[in-house]
Amino acid sequence: MEAKKNTVEKICEMQTALDILGGKWTFLIIYALLDGKKRFKELERAVTGINTRMLVKELKNLEDHQILTRTAFATVPPTVEYSLTDKGRDLEATMKYLYKWTKDWM
Amino acid sequence: MEAKKNTVEKICEMQTALDILGGKWTFLIIYALLDGKKRFKELERAVTGINTRMLVKELKNLEDHQILTRTAFATVPPTVEYSLTDKGRDLEATMKYLYKWTKDWM
């Protein structure tokens, strides 16, 4: 069956979203933050297997796209907290169904 | 906030799913096939921007993980059709919410 025009258009639209989100770690970081704001070290522990360099890179990417905010506190040593924006939190339904699929099929 | 044990476990479980699905093209191919079975050339047109080599690789990956089936017909020239399995079709809710997020925020 030929793709309906509608579907082709939707796929084009979703490319923009998946250029940001596409990638295993991005989804997992968002999923971890749906649980509540976290410091860098907490995220590193929550997202098992991610390395520090990759986590820095992914957090920067998500911050650049307003999916999360980074708040620095002038403590000694300095602490940094990450939390989802409304845009980020709005991925909750997507993540919930992805988790359900994982439980059902993996 | 420290990640709840529960969340860390869920993240571990989801890694397996995202090792298969993580990647922009994978989601877009699944989205295209939710619209109905397609031949290789139809998929290539539906998923704008994907190159032939990448499409072959992604289809093989999705077939290996029983997310889609590949059916070859002994026509001249031979034709091959791809369609989602139940496992693949069960990603519909995830994709629907991802598309909604795209519309709302991109």
Side-chain angles (χ1 to χ4, degrees), chain A residues 1-4 6-25 27-28 31-32 35-39 42 45-50 65 67 81 86-88 90-91 93-95 97-106, chain B residues 1-4 6-25 27-28 31-32 35-39 42 45-50 65 67 81 86-88 90-91 93-95 97-106:
Chain A
M1 194 203 314
E2 191 71 26
K4 295 183 197 89
N6 198 13
T7 299
V8 178
E9 275 168 13
K10 285 180 177 176
I11 288 172
C12 282
E13 289 166 13
M14 281 172 80
Q15 292 214 14
T16 326
L18 285 165
D19 279 335
I20 303 167
L21 303 175
K24 163 179 163 178
W25 298 121
F27 280 107
L28 296 177
Y31 195 75
D35 187 43
K37 64 185 177 185
K38 288 192 175 48
R39 296 192 194 167
E42 290 171 336
R45 274 193 297 269
V47 183
T48 316
I50 197 166
H65 290 96
I67 288 171
E81 244 174 30
D86 288 346
K87 182 176 175 180
D90 218 25
L91 282 160
T94 305
M95 298 306 302
Y97 280 102
L98 186 59
Y99 178 69
K100 187 184 179 308
W101 185 84
T102 303
K103 289 298 282 181
D104 290 347
W105 294 100
M106 291 285 112
Chain B
M1 194 203 313
E2 191 73 27
K4 295 184 196 87
N6 198 14
T7 299
V8 178
E9 273 168 14
K10 284 181 176 176
I11 288 171
C12 282
E13 289 166 11
M14 282 172 80
Q15 292 214 14
T16 325
L18 285 164
D19 280 334
I20 303 166
L21 302 175
K24 164 181 161 178
W25 298 121
F27 280 106
L28 296 177
Y31 195 75
D35 186 42
K37 64 186 178 186
K38 289 193 174 46
R39 297 191 192 166
E42 290 170 335
R45 274 193 297 269
V47 182
T48 316
I50 198 166
H65 290 96
I67 288 170
E81 245 175 30
D86 288 346
K87 182 176 174 180
D90 218 25
L91 282 161
T94 304
M95 298 306 302
Y97 280 103
L98 186 58
Y99 179 68
K100 187 185 178 309
W101 183 84
T102 303
K103 288 299 281 182
D104 290 347
W105 294 101
M106 291 284 115

Side-chain angles (χ1 to χ4, degrees), chain B residues 63-104:
Chain B
E63 189 189 355
D64 287 348
H65 290 96
Q66 293 88 47
I67 288 170
L68 58 78
T69 51
R70 178 185 183 280
T71 314
F73 296 94
T75 51
V76 181
T79 47
V80 180
E81 245 175 30
Y82 297 88
S83 56
L84 293 177
T85 59
D86 288 346
K87 182 176 174 180
R89 244 188 318 274
D90 218 25
L91 282 161
E92 185 157 21
T94 304
M95 298 306 302
K96 194 185 89 180
Y97 280 103
L98 186 58
Y99 179 68
K100 187 185 178 309
W101 183 84
T102 303
K103 288 299 281 182
D104 290 347

Side-chain angles (χ1 to χ4, degrees), chain A residues 14-97:
Chain A
M14 281 172 80
Q15 292 214 14
T16 326
L18 285 165
D19 279 335
I20 303 167
L21 303 175
K24 163 179 163 178
W25 298 121
T26 317
F27 280 107
L28 296 177
I29 291 166
I30 293 166
Y31 195 75
L33 289 174
L34 282 168
D35 187 43
K37 64 185 177 185
K38 288 192 175 48
R39 296 192 194 167
F40 188 88
K41 282 284 169 200
E42 290 171 336
L43 270 175
E44 208 169 19
R45 274 193 297 269
V47 183
T48 316
I50 197 166
N51 68 48
T52 308
R53 194 177 51 83
M54 187 58 85
L55 182 55
V56 169
K57 193 184 147 209
E58 295 284 350
L59 289 171
K60 178 76 170 60
N61 169 47
L62 292 172
E63 189 189 355
D64 288 347
H65 290 96
Q66 295 88 46
I67 288 171
L68 58 77
T69 51
R70 179 186 183 279
T71 315
F73 297 94
T75 51
V76 182
T79 47
V80 181
E81 244 174 30
Y82 297 89
S83 56
L84 293 178
T85 59
D86 288 346
K87 182 176 175 180
R89 245 187 317 273
D90 218 25
L91 282 160
E92 185 158 21
T94 305
M95 298 306 302
K96 195 183 88 181
Y97 280 102

